[in-house]
Amino acid sequence: MYRDFAGIYDELMHDVDYKKWFDYIENIYVKEGITPAKVLEMACGTGSLTRYLAEAKYDITCFDLSLEMLTVAESKLRKYRNVKILNQDMIDFNLGGQYDSIISICDSINYILEDEDLDKVFENAYKHLSDDGIFIFDINSAYYLSEIISNNNFVEDRGEVFYSWESYYDEEEKINQFYINFFVKEEDGSYNRFIEEHYERAYEVDEIIEKLNKAGFKDIKYYQAFSYDEIDSKTERINFIVKK
Ligand SMILES: C[S@@+](CC[C@H](N)C(=O)[O-])C[C@H]1O[C@@H](n2cnc3c(N)ncnc32)[C@H](O)[C@@H]1O
């Protein structure tokens, strides 16, 4: 669960180009011949993508499980009249309406660790998606979680924030644990230390497709993220484009 990490999340994500992510999503809309008005963003985090969607005048509802992440999101998004922010769980939400597009980016889906829970996420997405709507999400590939990030422990000194990032991959559970030790500089020059543990489950593409089918989705495409290229054994991020 994102707690104190939320306050420095954007600082640590400095190299993530959310404008590129936004452009990719809009490009998908054009390619798929869809002009969504109502958009639902699941697991919006600190609202970095949401801000671009808001600027583009979509009617947006976004939610996240972590209140701490939403607090940061709220500070970025409060000036937009077309954004509604909610504290909800992807596994169990009922907003009582349908959306032209549902999106979830930056491997938030990997945070769903149990099979039954991912089934529920996809059932909820199906229920909340209009008949000609489009569901877009990405995952960290099983290859990335089991071969790349799990062997990539590192420390970074960003002045105000110093952290060590360790990963442990459980072959049996197919779950990667991120163990992050933060030291954040306080006003008096001392450092506040806190630890967060995050877990991401590795899913094979076939497992995702099976679950999407089970939820009722029929038109399922997937590509290397930010492109329309076929995935290969070394693809690290996979983007799904899904319709009913
Ligand atoms: C890697 S962050 C991505 C955040 C944001 N989408 C971004 O692009 O920066 C994963 C997010 O998923 C959220 N999350 C994890 N499990 C969730 C759940 N069951 N329901 C809603 N949000 C969840 C976390 O709180 C966190 O904000």
Side-chain angles (χ1 to χ4, degrees):
M1 179 66 134
Y2 282 80
R3 296 195 190 284
D4 290 347
F5 184 7
I8 48 170
Y9 182 83
D10 287 348
E11 161 88 17
L12 264 56
M13 298 293 273
H14 61 95
D15 57 347
V16 176
D17 187 347
Y18 285 97
K19 173 71 167 68
K20 182 176 160 192
W21 229 316
F22 167 73
D23 288 342
Y24 181 51
I25 288 169
E26 284 223 305
N27 193 274
I28 292 171
Y29 292 157
V30 172
K31 196 167 180 289
E32 296 292 326
I34 283 179
T35 44
K38 284 180 71 182
V39 176
L40 175 66
E41 186 185 0
M42 304 194 298
C44 61
T46 60
S48 297
L49 173 70
T50 328
R51 178 151 60 186
Y52 286 107
L53 295 163
E55 291 283 351
K57 304 276 186 287
Y58 293 103
D59 172 1
I60 301 149
T61 301
C62 63
F63 71 74
D64 200 275
L65 185 62
S66 157
L67 274 177
E68 288 84 348
M69 294 294 263
L70 289 177
T71 302
V72 182
E74 205 272 330
S75 68
K76 276 183 205 162
L77 302 171
R78 67 167 71 106
K79 67 176 178 184
Y80 300 102
R81 315 292 306 201
N82 51 329
V83 182
K84 194 193 293 176
I85 307 172
L86 304 170
N87 183 210
Q88 295 281 329
D89 188 335
M90 282 190 279
I91 297 167
D92 176 25
F93 68 97
N94 186 0
L95 306 180
Q98 287 195 321
Y99 297 82
D100 308 316
S101 177
I102 299 179
I103 55 188
S104 184
I105 67 154
C106 200
D107 47 90
S108 302
I109 292 292
N110 295 97
Y111 277 72
I112 307 298
L113 306 181
E114 302 291 337
D115 276 307
E116 314 80 76
D117 288 343
L118 189 56
D119 287 339
K120 288 186 196 160
V121 172
F122 289 162
E123 280 164 24
N124 286 334
Y126 190 88
K127 194 168 76 181
H128 286 80
L129 190 70
S130 59
D131 285 346
D132 50 2
I134 190 164
F135 176 29
I136 301 169
F137 65 92
D138 63 81
I139 57 167
N140 273 332
S141 68
Y143 162 72
Y144 178 74
L145 288 173
S146 64
E147 305 284 333
I148 304 294
I149 194 71
S150 53
N151 294 314
N152 188 11
N153 297 335
F154 59 95
V155 294
E156 191 180 7
D157 183 356
R158 297 192 56 74
E160 304 294 297
V161 180
F162 178 92
Y163 67 99
S164 67
W165 185 288
E166 295 164 64
S167 300
Y168 303 96
Y169 186 71
D170 183 327
E171 293 283 348
E172 209 162 296
E173 300 286 335
K174 299 195 184 310
I175 289 176
N176 195 80
Q177 178 198 28
F178 300 108
Y179 185 85
I180 320 159
N181 234 298
F182 293 100
F183 298 84
V184 179
K185 202 169 190 178
E186 302 284 289
E187 273 176 14
D188 66 1
S190 66
Y191 280 82
N192 175 28
R193 180 184 179 195
F194 57 90
I195 292 168
E196 283 204 17
E197 291 172 35
H198 291 251
Y199 297 87
E200 290 200 16
R201 158 109 182 250
Y203 290 100
E204 298 296 339
V205 168
D206 287 350
E207 289 178 276
I208 297 281
I209 292 174
E210 195 192 318
K211 288 178 176 303
L212 287 166
N213 283 148
K214 199 168 150 193
F217 290 106
K218 299 221 163 51
D219 180 351
I220 300 162
K221 303 188 196 91
Y222 55 94
Y223 305 101
Q224 293 189 36
F226 308 111
S227 78
Y228 301 100
D229 296 338
E230 266 183 40
I231 64 163
D232 58 40
S233 60
K234 299 264 187 279
T235 299
E236 297 187 2
R237 186 177 296 282
I238 304 170
N239 193 72
F240 286 82
I241 302 174
V242 178
K243 294 186 198 159
K244 284 190 170 177

